[in-house]
Amino acid sequence: MLGVTSPGMVAAVSNEGGLGSLPIGGLSPDAARTLIKATKQLTRKPFAVNLFAHEISSVPRDILQKMWSFLVEFAKSKGYQLDSPSLPEFKFYNHRHQVDMLLEEDIKHVSFTFGNLDNESIKKLHAAGVSLMGTATCLQEAQILESSGIDFIIAQGIEAGGHRGSFLDGELPRIGLFSLLSNILQKCKIPVIAAGGIHHSQSIRAAMELGASGVQIGTPFINSVESQAIPSYKKRLEEATGTDTKLTCAFSGRWARGIINEFMQEVELSGLDIPPYPYQNTLTASLRKMAQAKDDHTMTNLWSGQSLPLQETRSCKDIFLRLLY
Ligand SMILES: Cc1cc2nc3c(=O)[nH]c(=O)nc-3n(C[C@H](O)[C@H](O)[C@H](O)COP(=O)(O)O)c2cc1C
């Protein structure tokens, strides 16, 4: 969970026998390596590293400029000063920039979302014995992953918090986990990991009963002690119900599920074209950072799934163990 997961969270889950997952999507190889090294300091157990496998398109400058001018004015009205009237610098990284570093760091489990890995990266990682887990939100995506040699499919239901892993053109697939899981299990042969709305031992057992080989869990860990989520985000999670979340492109230019807040509503109401990921993500980054520094939950993303945490803030170890029993 990029922006939320700390090395301490990854290590806590791996130390208890789960596969903690360290997000490095979109980070420079150096920044990602620092996080990997910090995680290795805290655990000797295996952990996964999570990548973003998106392609980067070009976007007309006037679309970027209009959104940026809107954000500068909106930020000002809320007491935030964005640095400059001219566009921020765009510097993007995807999985291609990170693969060699992962091999140098001897990482053995890699998950990814937003697309598929290119053939060369798949070959290199497999040659080093790395297991690959790709995210699918519909059967067609799962079949693409399977036919390119990926080892596990992560079936991400529409209930899930954070970004959709969808990567095909056309309408966004909006399939609930149980339907998605059954669809994929019927047609694909590789093991499937269930993600979306799993928040207690009963839902874990239900997914396994349907045929999942494992589960991937996000939202229940956001309000853990080790999480990087700001206090007001954790509080909103405690107060919210499933109907308080929705899908939006406002923060990053990619569909993602989060708790509804003022930023989300105002960007959507602006009527402007929202530049695609990762452009919008960069345009909104400094404002989100300033809001987080002031613990302001109205102006930053509050990613959350429809199954909200069942308990108050606890350690990751405690959350993990309670999920099992
Ligand atoms: C705060 C947050 C951040 C997330 N960031 C990532 C990410 O960086 N990479 C990824 O593959 N999935 C990410 N996800 C999605 C999760 O991998 C997973 O699909 C989802 O959390 C499962 O649904 P749940 O939130 O209901 O448990 C994120 C989810 C949340 C809630």
Side-chain angles (χ1 to χ4, degrees):
M1 293 190 287
L2 192 72
V4 166
T5 300
S6 61
M9 287 170 78
V10 180
V13 170
S14 285
N15 285 337
E16 294 308 315
L19 186 65
S21 181
L22 181 71
I24 62 161
L27 300 185
S28 71
D30 283 349
R33 196 194 294 272
T34 303
L35 291 172
I36 290 172
K37 287 195 182 302
T39 308
K40 285 179 179 171
Q41 294 285 316
L42 302 172
T43 184
R44 287 166 173 258
K45 298 281 174 62
F47 60 90
V49 169
N50 176 263
L51 318 179
F52 291 167
H54 59 287
E55 298 302 335
I56 298 157
S57 54
S58 62
V59 175
R61 209 174 160 78
D62 68 312
I63 292 188
L64 298 171
Q65 189 60 62
K66 278 186 193 150
M67 177 54 72
W68 181 241
S69 304
F70 167 80
L71 289 171
V72 170
E73 283 308 308
F74 176 46
K76 203 159 138 198
S77 75
K78 305 304 294 180
Y80 294 97
Q81 191 71 42
L82 293 185
D83 281 348
S84 144
S86 55
L87 287 169
E89 191 199 344
F90 294 106
K91 175 92 185 108
F92 301 134
Y93 298 96
N94 69 5
H95 71 276
R96 287 192 179 83
H97 302 99
Q98 298 168 327
V99 166
D100 289 339
M101 178 277 296
L102 295 178
L103 294 172
E104 284 158 22
E105 290 296 328
D106 200 25
I107 293 299
K108 291 296 181 207
H109 305 281
V110 166
S111 67
F112 59 90
T113 187
F114 300 177
N116 196 3
L117 302 181
D118 60 294
N119 283 333
E120 197 191 327
S121 299
I122 294 173
K123 267 193 204 140
K124 271 190 190 175
L125 290 161
H126 271 162
V130 179
S131 67
L132 300 176
M133 302 170 259
T135 308
T137 63
C138 63
L139 175 61
Q140 208 187 337
E141 289 169 355
Q143 288 174 320
I144 290 170
L145 296 173
E146 181 173 57
S147 63
S148 58
I150 301 308
D151 305 293
F152 297 85
I153 292 162
I154 299 165
Q156 188 192 39
I158 196 69
E159 309 88 332
H163 282 101
R164 307 299 306 146
S166 311
F167 58 90
L168 296 176
D169 290 339
E171 205 174 315
L172 184 79
R174 292 165 192 255
I175 311 175
L177 176 63
F178 279 9
S179 304
L180 179 65
L181 198 53
S182 304
N183 278 195
I184 295 177
L185 283 162
Q186 263 173 14
K187 304 272 180 184
C188 295
K189 294 191 176 60
I190 59 174
V192 181
I193 297 164
I198 296 172
H199 65 151
H200 53 11
S201 62
Q202 292 94 323
S203 38
I204 295 177
R205 282 201 295 276
M208 306 297 267
E209 180 68 24
L210 274 178
S213 299
V215 294
Q216 186 191 61
I217 300 178
T219 299
F221 288 95
I222 301 174
N223 64 356
S224 63
V225 176
E226 297 93 334
S227 143
Q228 293 172 338
I230 55 175
S232 59
Y233 176 6
K234 291 182 177 175
K235 188 155 183 293
R236 287 295 295 122
L237 274 174
E238 278 171 27
E239 297 162 350
T241 66
T243 48
D244 292 324
T245 74
K246 74 174 198 128
L247 294 174
T248 185
C249 288
F251 292 102
S252 71
R254 272 193 78 90
W255 289 108
R257 181 178 296 284
I259 297 175
I260 299 164
N261 69 357
E262 191 178 343
F263 181 96
M264 196 192 272
Q265 287 172 319
E266 290 299 321
V267 171
E268 287 172 3
L269 281 173
S270 73
L272 294 172
D273 286 333
I274 298 180
Y277 184 88
Y279 292 91
Q280 180 74 351
N281 200 50
T282 301
L283 292 180
T284 65
S286 51
L287 178 52
R288 287 182 288 129
K289 202 167 162 198
M290 284 189 265
Q292 285 163 16
K294 284 173 65 178
D295 192 24
D296 176 0
H297 65 84
T298 67
M299 298 294 277
T300 187
N301 49 293
L302 310 174
W303 300 145
S304 167
Q306 290 178 328
S307 294
L308 290 123
L310 289 176
Q311 66 262 317
E312 68 284 9
T313 305
R314 288 176 187 278
S315 70
C316 269
K317 176 179 172 178
D318 196 15
I319 294 170
F320 181 76
L321 294 177
R322 276 166 182 254
L323 282 164
L324 296 185
Y325 304 107

